Every structure is written in C-alpha cells, then in structure tokens.
Coordinates of all heavy atoms in Angstrom, one line a residue:
M395 N 90.4 32.4 39.7 CA 91.4 31.5 39.1 C 90.7 30.2 38.6 O 89.8 29.5 39.3 CB 92.5 31.1 40.1 CG 93.4 30.0 39.6 SD 95.0 30.4 39.6 CE 95.8 28.8 39.2
E396 N 90.9 29.7 37.4 CA 90.2 28.6 36.9 C 91.0 27.3 37.1 O 92.2 27.2 37.1 CB 90.1 28.7 35.4 CG 88.6 28.9 34.9 CD 88.6 29.1 33.4 OE1 88.7 28.0 32.7 OE2 88.2 30.2 32.9
T397 N 90.3 26.3 37.5 CA 90.9 25.0 37.8 C 90.5 24.0 36.7 O 89.3 24.1 36.2 CB 90.5 24.4 39.2 OG1 89.1 24.5 39.3 CG2 91.2 25.1 40.2
E398 N 91.4 23.1 36.3 CA 91.1 22.2 35.2 C 90.8 20.9 35.9 O 91.6 20.2 36.4 CB 92.4 22.0 34.4 CG 92.1 21.6 33.0 CD 93.4 21.6 32.1 OE1 94.3 22.5 32.5 OE2 93.5 20.9 31.1
N399 N 89.5 20.4 36.0 CA 89.1 19.3 36.7 C 88.7 18.1 35.7 O 88.3 17.1 36.2 CB 88.0 19.6 37.6 CG 88.5 20.3 38.9 OD1 89.6 20.0 39.3 ND2 87.7 21.2 39.3
N400 N 88.9 18.4 34.5 CA 88.4 17.3 33.5 C 89.5 16.2 33.2 O 89.2 15.5 32.4 CB 87.8 17.9 32.3 CG 88.8 18.9 31.6 OD1 89.9 19.0 32.1 ND2 88.4 19.5 30.5
S401 N 90.7 16.3 33.8 CA 91.6 15.3 33.5 C 91.6 14.2 34.7 O 91.8 14.6 35.8 CB 93.0 15.9 33.4 OG 93.0 16.8 32.4
V402 N 91.3 13.0 34.3 CA 91.2 12.0 35.4 C 92.0 10.8 34.9 O 92.4 10.6 33.8 CB 89.7 11.4 35.5 CG1 88.8 12.6 35.9 CG2 89.2 10.9 34.2
C403 N 92.4 10.0 36.0 CA 93.2 8.8 35.7 C 92.5 7.8 34.9 O 91.2 7.6 35.1 CB 93.6 8.2 37.0 SG 94.3 6.5 36.8
H404 N 93.1 7.3 33.8 CA 92.4 6.3 32.9 C 92.0 5.1 33.7 O 90.9 4.6 33.3 CB 93.4 6.0 31.8 CG 92.9 4.9 30.9 ND1 92.1 5.2 29.8 CD2 93.1 3.6 30.9 CE1 91.8 4.1 29.2 NE2 92.4 3.1 29.7
D405 N 92.7 4.6 34.6 CA 92.4 3.4 35.3 C 91.3 3.5 36.4 O 90.4 2.7 36.5 CB 93.7 2.7 35.8 CG 94.5 2.3 34.7 OD1 94.2 2.5 33.5 OD2 95.5 1.6 34.9
C406 N 91.6 4.5 37.3 CA 90.7 4.6 38.5 C 89.8 5.8 38.5 O 88.9 5.9 39.3 CB 91.6 4.5 39.8 SG 92.4 6.1 40.0
G407 N 89.9 6.7 37.5 CA 89.0 7.9 37.5 C 89.3 9.0 38.4 O 88.5 10.0 38.5
K408 N 90.4 8.8 39.2 CA 90.8 9.9 40.1 C 91.2 11.2 39.4 O 91.8 11.1 38.3 CB 91.9 9.4 41.0 CG 92.3 10.2 42.1 CD 93.1 9.5 43.2 CE 94.6 9.6 42.8 NZ 95.4 8.8 43.8
N409 N 90.9 12.3 39.9 CA 91.3 13.6 39.3 C 92.9 13.7 39.3 O 93.5 13.4 40.2 CB 90.8 14.8 40.1 CG 89.4 15.2 39.5 OD1 89.0 14.8 38.5 ND2 88.6 15.9 40.4
I410 N 93.4 14.2 38.1 CA 94.7 14.4 38.0 C 94.9 15.9 38.1 O 94.3 16.7 37.5 CB 95.3 13.9 36.6 CG1 95.0 12.4 36.4 CG2 96.7 14.2 36.5 CD1 95.8 11.6 37.3
E411 N 95.8 16.3 39.0 CA 96.0 17.8 39.3 C 97.0 18.3 38.4 O 98.1 17.8 38.3 CB 96.5 17.9 40.8 CG 95.5 17.5 41.8 CD 96.2 17.0 43.1 OE1 97.3 17.3 43.3 OE2 95.4 16.3 43.8
I412 N 96.6 19.3 37.6 CA 97.5 19.9 36.6 C 97.6 21.4 36.9 O 96.7 22.1 37.1 CB 97.0 19.6 35.2 CG1 96.8 18.2 34.9 CG2 97.8 20.3 34.2 CD1 96.1 17.8 33.6
N413 N 98.9 21.8 37.0 CA 99.2 23.2 37.1 C 100.0 23.7 35.8 O 101.2 23.4 35.8 CB 100.0 23.5 38.4 CG 99.1 23.4 39.6 OD1 98.0 24.1 39.6 ND2 99.5 22.6 40.6
G414 N 99.4 24.3 35.0 CA 100.2 24.6 33.7 C 100.6 23.4 33.1 O 99.8 22.6 32.6
E415 N 101.9 23.2 33.0 CA 102.5 22.0 32.3 C 102.9 20.9 33.4 O 103.4 19.8 33.0 CB 103.6 22.4 31.5 CG 103.2 23.3 30.3 CD 104.2 23.3 29.1 OE1 105.4 23.1 29.4 OE2 103.8 23.6 28.1
L416 N 102.8 21.2 34.6 CA 103.2 20.3 35.6 C 102.0 19.3 36.1 O 100.9 19.8 36.3 CB 103.6 21.0 36.9 CG 105.0 21.8 36.6 CD1 105.3 22.6 37.8 CD2 106.1 20.8 36.3
I417 N 102.3 18.1 36.1 CA 101.2 17.2 36.7 C 101.6 16.8 38.1 O 102.7 16.3 38.4 CB 101.2 15.9 35.7 CG1 101.0 16.3 34.3 CG2 100.1 14.9 36.3 CD1 101.2 15.1 33.3
G418 N 100.6 17.1 39.0 CA 100.9 16.9 40.4 C 101.0 15.4 40.9 O 101.9 15.1 41.5
N419 N 100.1 14.7 40.5 CA 100.0 13.3 41.0 C 99.9 12.2 40.1 O 99.3 11.2 40.2 CB 98.7 13.3 41.9 CG 97.5 13.5 41.2 OD1 97.5 14.0 40.1 ND2 96.3 13.1 41.7
G420 N 100.5 12.4 38.9 CA 100.4 11.3 37.8 C 101.2 11.6 36.7 O 102.1 12.4 36.7
V421 N 101.0 10.8 35.6 CA 101.7 11.0 34.4 C 100.8 11.0 33.1 O 99.7 10.6 33.2 CB 102.7 9.7 34.2 CG1 103.8 9.8 35.2 CG2 101.9 8.5 34.3
Y422 N 101.4 11.7 32.1 CA 100.7 11.9 30.9 C 101.4 10.8 29.9 O 102.6 10.8 29.8 CB 100.9 13.3 30.3 CG 100.2 13.5 29.0 CD1 98.8 13.4 28.9 CD2 100.9 13.9 28.0 CE1 98.2 13.6 27.8 CE2 100.3 14.2 26.7 CZ 98.8 14.1 26.6 OH 98.3 14.3 25.4
L423 N 100.6 9.9 29.4 CA 101.2 8.9 28.6 C 100.8 8.8 27.1 O 99.7 9.3 26.8 CB 100.8 7.5 29.2 CG 101.1 7.3 30.7 CD1 100.3 6.2 31.3 CD2 102.7 7.0 30.7
E424 N 101.6 8.5 26.2 CA 101.3 8.3 24.9 C 101.6 7.0 24.3 O 102.7 6.4 24.6 CB 102.2 9.4 24.1 CG 101.9 9.4 22.6 CD 102.7 10.4 21.9 OE1 102.4 11.7 22.2 OE2 103.6 10.2 21.1
Y425 N 100.5 6.3 23.9 CA 100.7 5.0 23.3 C 100.5 5.1 21.8 O 99.7 5.8 21.2 CB 99.6 4.1 23.9 CG 99.8 3.8 25.4 CD1 99.1 4.7 26.3 CD2 100.6 2.8 25.9 CE1 99.2 4.5 27.6 CE2 100.7 2.6 27.2 CZ 100.1 3.4 28.1 OH 100.2 3.3 29.4
E426 N 101.1 4.1 21.1 CA 101.0 4.1 19.6 C 100.1 2.9 19.3 O 100.1 1.8 19.9 CB 102.4 3.7 19.0 CG 103.5 4.6 19.3 CD 103.7 5.7 18.1 OE1 103.2 5.4 17.0 OE2 104.3 6.7 18.5
K427 N 99.1 3.2 18.4 CA 98.2 2.2 18.0 C 98.1 2.4 16.5 O 97.3 3.1 15.9 CB 96.8 2.4 18.6 CG 95.7 1.3 18.2 CD 94.5 1.5 19.0 CE 93.5 0.6 18.6 NZ 92.7 1.0 17.4
G428 N 98.9 1.5 15.7 CA 99.0 1.7 14.3 C 99.5 3.1 14.0 O 100.6 3.6 14.5
D429 N 98.8 3.9 13.2 CA 99.2 5.1 12.9 C 98.7 6.2 13.9 O 99.0 7.3 13.9 CB 98.6 5.6 11.5 CG 99.5 5.0 10.4 OD1 100.6 4.5 10.7 OD2 98.9 4.9 9.3
D430 N 97.9 5.7 14.8 CA 97.2 6.6 15.8 C 98.1 6.7 17.0 O 98.9 5.8 17.5 CB 95.9 6.0 16.2 CG 94.9 6.2 15.0 OD1 95.2 7.0 14.1 OD2 94.0 5.3 15.0
K431 N 97.9 7.8 17.7 CA 98.5 8.0 19.1 C 97.4 8.1 20.1 O 96.4 8.7 19.8 CB 99.3 9.3 19.1 CG 100.7 9.1 18.6 CD 101.6 10.3 18.7 CE 101.4 11.3 17.6 NZ 102.1 12.5 17.7
I432 N 97.5 7.4 21.2 CA 96.6 7.4 22.3 C 97.1 8.1 23.4 O 98.2 7.7 23.9 CB 96.1 6.1 22.6 CG1 95.5 5.2 21.4 CG2 95.2 6.0 23.9 CD1 95.4 3.8 21.5
N433 N 96.6 9.2 23.8 CA 97.2 10.0 25.0 C 96.1 9.8 26.2 O 95.0 10.2 26.0 CB 97.3 11.5 24.6 CG 98.3 11.6 23.5 OD1 99.5 11.2 23.7 ND2 97.9 12.2 22.4
I434 N 96.7 9.5 27.3 CA 95.9 9.4 28.5 C 96.7 9.8 29.7 O 97.9 9.9 29.7 CB 95.4 7.9 28.7 CG1 96.6 7.0 29.0 CG2 94.5 7.4 27.7 CD1 96.3 5.7 29.6
F435 N 96.0 10.0 30.7 CA 96.6 10.3 32.1 C 96.5 9.1 33.0 O 95.5 8.3 32.9 CB 95.9 11.4 32.9 CG 96.2 12.8 32.2 CD1 95.2 13.4 31.4 CD2 97.4 13.4 32.6 CE1 95.4 14.6 30.8 CE2 97.6 14.7 31.9 CZ 96.7 15.3 31.1
K436 N 97.5 8.8 33.8 CA 97.3 7.8 34.9 C 97.9 8.5 36.2 O 98.8 9.2 36.2 CB 98.2 6.5 34.6 CG 97.5 5.6 33.6 CD 98.2 4.2 33.7 CE 97.7 3.3 32.5 NZ 97.9 1.8 32.9
C437 N 97.2 8.1 37.3 CA 97.7 8.6 38.6 C 98.9 7.8 38.9 O 99.2 6.7 38.4 CB 96.7 8.6 39.6 SG 96.3 6.8 40.1
N438 N 99.7 8.3 39.9 CA 101.0 7.6 40.1 C 100.7 6.2 40.6 O 101.5 5.2 40.3 CB 101.8 8.3 41.2 CG 102.4 9.6 40.7 OD1 102.7 9.7 39.5 ND2 102.5 10.6 41.5
E439 N 99.7 5.9 41.4 CA 99.5 4.6 42.0 C 99.2 3.6 40.8 O 99.7 2.5 40.8 CB 98.3 4.5 42.9 CG 98.6 5.3 44.4 CD 98.4 6.8 44.1 OE1 97.4 7.2 43.5 OE2 99.3 7.6 44.5
C440 N 98.3 4.0 40.0 CA 97.9 3.1 38.8 C 99.1 2.9 37.9 O 99.3 1.8 37.3 CB 96.7 3.7 38.1 SG 95.2 3.7 39.0
F441 N 99.9 4.0 37.6 CA 101.1 3.8 36.9 C 102.1 2.8 37.4 O 102.7 2.0 36.7 CB 101.8 5.2 36.6 CG 102.9 5.1 35.6 CD1 102.6 4.9 34.2 CD2 104.2 5.3 36.0 CE1 103.6 4.8 33.3 CE2 105.3 5.3 35.1 CZ 104.9 5.0 33.8
E442 N 102.3 2.8 38.7 CA 103.1 1.9 39.4 C 102.6 0.4 39.2 O 103.4 -0.5 38.9 CB 103.2 2.2 40.8 CG 104.3 3.3 41.1 CD 105.6 3.1 40.4 OE1 106.2 2.0 40.6 OE2 106.0 4.1 39.7
K443 N 101.3 0.3 39.3 CA 100.6 -1.0 39.2 C 100.7 -1.5 37.8 O 101.0 -2.8 37.7 CB 99.2 -1.0 39.7 CG 99.0 -1.3 41.1 CD 97.5 -1.4 41.5 CE 97.0 0.0 42.1 NZ 95.6 0.0 42.2
N444 N 100.5 -0.7 36.9 CA 100.3 -1.2 35.5 C 100.7 -0.1 34.5 O 99.9 0.9 34.4 CB 99.0 -1.8 35.2 CG 98.9 -2.3 33.8 OD1 99.8 -2.5 33.0 ND2 97.7 -2.8 33.5
K445 N 101.9 -0.2 33.9 CA 102.3 0.9 32.9 C 101.6 0.8 31.6 O 101.7 1.7 30.7 CB 103.8 1.0 32.9 CG 104.5 1.4 34.2 CD 105.9 1.4 34.0 CE 106.6 2.0 35.3 NZ 106.4 1.2 36.5
A446 N 101.0 -0.4 31.4 CA 100.5 -0.7 30.0 C 99.1 -0.1 29.9 O 98.4 0.2 30.8 CB 100.4 -2.2 29.7
L447 N 98.7 0.2 28.7 CA 97.3 0.6 28.4 C 96.3 -0.5 28.3 O 96.5 -1.4 27.6 CB 97.3 1.3 27.1 CG 96.0 1.9 26.6 CD1 95.5 3.0 27.5 CD2 96.0 2.5 25.2
T448 N 95.4 -0.5 29.2 CA 94.3 -1.6 29.2 C 93.0 -0.9 29.2 O 92.8 0.3 29.4 CB 94.4 -2.4 30.5 OG1 94.4 -1.6 31.6 CG2 95.7 -3.2 30.5
N449 N 92.0 -1.7 28.9 CA 90.6 -1.2 28.9 C 90.3 -0.1 28.1 O 89.7 1.0 28.5 CB 90.4 -0.9 30.4 CG 88.9 -1.3 30.8 OD1 88.2 -1.9 30.0 ND2 88.4 -0.9 31.9
F450 N 90.9 0.0 26.9 CA 90.9 1.1 26.0 C 89.8 0.9 24.9 O 89.8 -0.2 24.3 CB 92.2 1.4 25.4 CG 92.1 2.5 24.4 CD1 92.0 3.9 24.8 CD2 92.1 2.3 23.0 CE1 91.9 4.9 23.9 CE2 92.0 3.3 22.1 CZ 91.9 4.6 22.5
Q451 N 89.0 1.9 24.7 CA 88.1 1.8 23.6 C 88.2 3.1 22.8 O 88.2 4.3 23.4 CB 86.7 1.8 24.2 CG 85.5 1.6 23.2 CD 84.2 1.5 23.7 OE1 84.0 1.2 24.9 NE2 83.2 1.9 23.1
P452 N 88.4 3.0 21.4 CA 88.6 4.2 20.6 C 87.5 5.0 20.7 O 86.3 4.6 20.8 CB 88.8 3.6 19.2 CG 89.1 2.2 19.4 CD 88.4 1.7 20.7
C453 N 87.6 6.3 20.6 CA 86.4 7.2 20.6 C 86.7 8.2 19.6 O 87.8 8.5 19.1 CB 86.3 7.9 22.0 SG 87.6 9.0 22.4
E454 N 85.6 8.8 19.0 CA 85.5 9.8 17.9 C 85.9 11.1 18.6 O 85.2 11.5 19.5 CB 84.2 9.8 17.3 CG 84.3 10.4 15.9 CD 84.6 9.5 14.8 OE1 83.8 8.8 14.4 OE2 85.8 9.4 14.5
V455 N 87.0 11.8 18.0 CA 87.3 13.1 18.5 C 86.9 14.1 17.3 O 87.4 13.9 16.2 CB 88.7 13.2 18.9 CG1 89.1 14.7 19.3 CG2 89.0 12.3 20.0
Y456 N 86.2 15.2 17.6 CA 85.9 16.2 16.6 C 86.8 17.4 16.9 O 86.9 17.8 18.1 CB 84.5 16.6 16.6 CG 83.5 15.6 15.9 CD1 83.3 14.4 16.5 CD2 83.0 15.9 14.7 CE1 82.4 13.5 15.9 CE2 82.1 15.0 14.0 CZ 81.9 13.9 14.7 OH 81.0 12.9 14.1
S457 N 87.5 18.0 15.9 CA 88.1 19.2 16.1 C 88.0 20.0 14.8 O 87.6 19.5 13.7 CB 89.6 19.0 16.4 OG 90.1 20.2 16.8
R458 N 88.5 21.2 14.8 CA 88.4 22.1 13.6 C 89.7 21.9 12.8 O 90.8 22.0 13.3 CB 88.4 23.5 14.1 CG 87.4 24.4 13.4 CD 87.3 25.6 14.1 NE 88.4 26.5 13.9 CZ 88.3 27.7 13.2 NH1 87.2 28.1 12.8 NH2 89.5 28.4 13.2
V459 N 89.4 21.5 11.6 CA 90.6 21.2 10.7 C 91.1 22.6 10.0 O 92.1 23.1 10.3 CB 90.4 20.1 9.6 CG1 89.1 20.3 8.9 CG2 91.5 19.9 8.8
V460 N 90.2 23.2 9.2 CA 90.5 24.5 8.8 C 89.3 25.3 8.5 O 88.8 25.6 7.4 CB 91.3 24.5 7.4 CG1 92.8 24.6 7.5 CG2 90.9 23.3 6.5
G461 N 88.6 25.6 9.6 CA 87.3 26.4 9.4 C 86.1 25.6 9.5 O 85.0 26.1 9.4
Y462 N 86.1 24.3 9.6 CA 85.0 23.5 9.8 C 85.3 22.2 10.7 O 86.4 21.9 10.7 CB 84.3 23.1 8.5 CG 85.1 22.4 7.5 CD1 85.2 21.0 7.5 CD2 85.9 23.1 6.5 CE1 85.9 20.3 6.6 CE2 86.7 22.4 5.8 CZ 86.8 21.0 5.8 OH 87.6 20.4 4.9
I463 N 84.4 21.7 11.3 CA 84.5 20.6 12.1 C 84.4 19.2 11.5 O 83.4 19.0 10.7 CB 83.5 20.6 13.4 CG1 83.6 22.0 14.0 CG2 83.8 19.5 14.3 CD1 84.4 22.1 15.2
R464 N 85.4 18.4 11.6 CA 85.4 16.9 11.1 C 86.0 16.0 12.0 O 86.8 16.4 12.9 CB 86.2 16.9 9.8 CG 85.7 17.8 8.7 CD 84.6 17.2 8.0 NE 85.0 16.0 7.2 CZ 84.2 15.0 6.8 NH1 82.9 15.1 7.2 NH2 84.6 14.0 6.2
P465 N 85.5 14.8 12.1 CA 86.1 13.8 13.0 C 87.7 13.7 12.7 O 88.0 13.5 11.5 CB 85.5 12.5 12.7 CG 84.2 12.8 12.1 CD 84.4 14.2 11.4
V466 N 88.5 13.7 13.7 CA 89.9 13.6 13.4 C 90.3 12.4 12.7 O 91.2 12.3 11.9 CB 90.7 13.7 14.8 CG1 92.2 13.5 14.6 CG2 90.4 15.1 15.4
Q467 N 89.6 11.3 13.0 CA 89.8 10.0 12.3 C 89.8 10.1 10.7 O 90.4 9.4 10.1 CB 88.8 8.9 12.8 CG 89.1 8.3 14.1 CD 90.3 7.4 14.0 OE1 90.5 6.7 13.1 NE2 91.1 7.4 15.1
Q468 N 88.9 11.1 10.4 CA 88.7 11.2 8.8 C 89.7 12.2 8.2 O 89.7 12.4 7.0 CB 87.2 11.6 8.6 CG 86.3 10.5 9.0 CD 84.8 10.8 8.8 OE1 84.5 11.9 8.1 NE2 83.9 10.2 9.4
W469 N 90.5 13.0 9.0 CA 91.5 13.8 8.5 C 92.4 13.0 7.7 O 92.7 11.9 8.0 CB 92.1 14.5 9.5 CG 91.3 15.5 10.4 CD1 89.9 15.6 10.3 CD2 91.8 16.5 11.2 NE1 89.5 16.5 11.2 CE2 90.6 17.1 11.9 CE3 93.0 16.9 11.7 CZ2 90.6 18.1 12.8 CZ3 93.1 17.9 12.6 CH2 91.9 18.6 13.2
H470 N 93.0 13.6 6.8 CA 94.2 12.9 6.0 C 95.5 12.9 6.9 O 95.6 13.7 7.9 CB 94.5 13.4 4.6 CG 95.0 14.8 4.5 ND1 96.3 15.1 4.9 CD2 94.4 16.0 4.1 CE1 96.5 16.3 4.7 NE2 95.4 16.9 4.3
K471 N 96.4 12.1 6.6 CA 97.5 11.7 7.5 C 98.3 13.0 7.9 O 98.7 13.1 9.1 CB 98.4 10.7 6.8 CG 98.6 9.6 7.6 CD 99.6 8.6 6.9 CE 100.4 7.8 7.8 NZ 101.4 6.9 7.2
G472 N 98.5 13.9 6.9 CA 99.3 15.1 7.3 C 98.7 15.9 8.2 O 99.3 16.5 9.2
K473 N 97.4 16.1 8.1 CA 96.6 16.9 9.1 C 96.5 16.3 10.5 O 96.5 16.9 11.5 CB 95.2 17.2 8.6 CG 95.1 18.5 7.8 CD 95.2 19.8 8.7 CE 95.4 21.0 8.0 NZ 96.0 22.1 8.8
Q474 N 96.4 14.9 10.5 CA 96.4 14.2 11.8 C 97.7 14.4 12.5 O 97.8 14.5 13.7 CB 96.1 12.7 11.5 CG 94.7 12.4 11.2 CD 94.4 10.9 11.2 OE1 95.2 10.1 11.6 NE2 93.2 10.6 10.8
Q475 N 98.8 14.4 11.8 CA 100.1 14.6 12.3 C 100.2 16.1 12.9 O 100.6 16.2 14.0 CB 101.3 14.4 11.4 CG 102.6 14.6 12.0 CD 103.8 14.2 11.0 OE1 103.5 13.7 9.8 NE2 105.0 14.6 11.4
E476 N 99.7 17.1 12.2 CA 99.7 18.3 12.7 C 98.8 18.5 13.9 O 99.1 19.2 14.9 CB 99.2 19.3 11.5 CG 99.1 20.8 11.9 CD 97.7 21.2 12.4 OE1 96.7 20.8 11.7 OE2 97.7 21.9 13.3
Y477 N 97.7 17.8 13.9 CA 96.8 17.8 15.1 C 97.6 17.2 16.3 O 97.4 17.7 17.4 CB 95.6 16.9 14.9 CG 94.6 16.7 16.1 CD1 93.7 17.8 16.3 CD2 94.6 15.7 16.9 CE1 92.9 17.7 17.4 CE2 93.8 15.5 17.9 CZ 92.9 16.6 18.1 OH 92.0 16.5 19.3
G478 N 98.4 16.2 16.1 CA 99.2 15.6 17.2 C 100.1 16.6 17.8 O 100.5 16.5 18.9
E479 N 100.6 17.6 16.9 CA 101.6 18.6 17.4 C 100.9 19.8 18.0 O 101.6 20.6 18.6 CB 102.4 19.0 16.2 CG 103.4 17.9 15.8 CD 104.0 18.1 14.4 OE1 103.7 19.1 13.8 OE2 104.7 17.2 13.9
R480 N 99.6 19.9 18.0 CA 98.8 21.1 18.6 C 99.0 21.1 20.0 O 99.1 20.0 20.7 CB 97.4 21.0 18.2 CG 97.1 21.3 16.7 CD 95.7 21.4 16.4 NE 95.5 21.5 15.0 CZ 94.3 21.7 14.4 NH1 93.2 21.7 15.2 NH2 94.2 21.6 13.2
K481 N 99.1 22.2 20.6 CA 99.3 22.4 22.0 C 98.0 23.0 22.5 O 97.3 23.8 21.9 CB 100.4 23.4 22.3 CG 101.7 22.9 21.9 CD 102.6 22.5 23.0 CE 104.1 22.2 22.7 NZ 104.2 21.1 21.8
E482 N 97.6 22.5 23.7 CA 96.4 23.1 24.4 C 96.9 24.3 25.3 O 98.0 24.1 25.9 CB 95.7 22.1 25.2 CG 95.0 21.1 24.3 CD 94.0 20.2 25.0 OE1 93.8 20.4 26.2 OE2 93.5 19.3 24.4
F483 N 96.1 25.3 25.4 CA 96.6 26.4 26.3 C 95.3 26.9 26.9 O 94.2 26.8 26.4 CB 97.4 27.4 25.6 CG 96.6 28.2 24.5 CD1 95.9 29.4 24.9 CD2 96.6 27.7 23.2 CE1 95.2 30.0 23.8 CE2 95.9 28.3 22.3 CZ 95.2 29.5 22.5
K484 N 95.5 27.6 28.1 CA 94.4 28.2 28.8 C 94.2 29.6 28.3 O 95.2 30.3 28.1 CB 94.7 28.1 30.3 CG 94.5 26.8 30.9 CD 94.6 26.9 32.4 CE 95.0 25.6 33.0 NZ 95.5 25.6 34.4
A485 N 93.1 30.0 28.1 CA 92.8 31.3 27.6 C 93.4 32.5 28.5 O 93.8 33.5 28.1 CB 91.3 31.6 27.5
D486 N 93.4 32.2 29.9 CA 94.0 33.2 30.8 C 95.5 33.4 30.6 O 96.1 34.3 31.2 CB 93.6 33.0 32.2 CG 94.1 31.6 32.8 OD1 95.0 31.0 32.1 OD2 93.8 31.3 33.8
S487 N 96.2 32.5 29.8 CA 97.6 32.7 29.7 C 97.9 33.5 28.4 O 99.0 33.8 28.2 CB 98.4 31.3 29.6 OG 97.9 30.7 28.5
C488 N 96.9 33.8 27.7 CA 97.2 34.6 26.5 C 96.7 36.1 26.8 O 96.0 36.2 27.7 CB 96.5 34.1 25.2 SG 94.8 34.8 24.9
C489 N 97.0 37.1 26.3 CA 96.5 38.5 26.6 C 96.1 38.7 28.1 O 95.2 38.8 28.6 CB 95.3 38.9 25.8 SG 94.4 37.8 25.0
Ligands
LIG743 ZN1 94.5 5.8 39.1

C-alpha cells in the first residue's frame, strides 16, 4: 500500500495525513492571488492560529498542457482554468 508523504503543513512543515480525499489532521486551502489560485495545506493547529496565508513565495509549476511541458504561468487563461479543475488521483485507484 502506498502512502502519500509529500503533503506538509505550509506553516510548520508537519506531515498532513491524507486518505483518498480525506485529510486526517489539517485542511486544504485555496487562496486567490489576482487571477491565480494558491492551494496549500495547513495542519489543524496552524489553521487555528492563523487562517491567513503568510510567508508565501510564488513558485514555477510545470505540467503537461497538450503533449509537451510548459510552465503553468505561461499557459493562456483558458488552459490555466482547466488546470485548476484537474483532479489528482492515485494510480492504484484506476484499473
Ligand atoms: Zn502546521
């Protein structure tokens, strides 16, 4: 069984436990920044202390647009919106 250990609290770096779509010990947050959306995890303790997004630095995300890889920042608006609607899934839940 595979465990997903790469999700950590934005504020303290603690591991966020995720089982499928359930988050065990934290929250998944979406912040608006102009046309951009910022998605992060916070553990319950940090979320109680501060619900706002602090200490944030934009980072370049690369993903496949239609057959080749480009920075998401450089995608046109329609494709960026479609990217926002994409769902992540684990390979073991398909076939
Ligand atoms: Zn935390």
Side-chain angles (χ1 to χ4, degrees):
M395 169 124 174
E396 246 180 73
T397 47
E398 205 174 336
N399 283 327
N400 52 359
S401 302
V402 295
C403 172
H404 174 80
D405 289 5
C406 70
K408 190 162 84 179
N409 270 338
I410 301 291
E411 294 149 20
I412 299 170
N413 285 307
E415 300 201 329
L416 292 173
I417 303 170
N419 61 341
V421 289
Y422 181 62
L423 300 163
E424 184 175 291
Y425 296 93
E426 304 261 343
K427 181 173 177 276
D429 285 339
D430 294 334
K431 278 186 277 180
I432 299 163
N433 296 303
I434 62 161
F435 288 101
K436 279 198 188 198
C437 71
N438 287 328
E439 292 81 48
C440 292
F441 184 67
E442 280 310 308
K443 267 187 261 171
N444 183 6
K445 294 179 171 61
L447 178 64
T448 54
N449 217 6
F450 174 77
Q451 188 181 332
C453 67
E454 197 84 87
V455 177
Y456 282 71
S457 187
R458 223 166 74 119
V459 52
V460 268
Y462 55 93
I463 307 260
R464 298 278 294 154
V466 174
Q467 282 289 324
Q468 292 173 21
W469 295 12
H470 68 73
K471 234 180 151 180
K473 266 290 166 195
Q474 285 191 4
Q475 185 178 347
E476 181 264 314
Y477 179 79
E479 287 163 6
R480 288 186 191 181
K481 297 251 190 299
E482 292 188 4
F483 63 92
K484 290 185 197 161
D486 63 8
S487 68
C488 95
C489 23

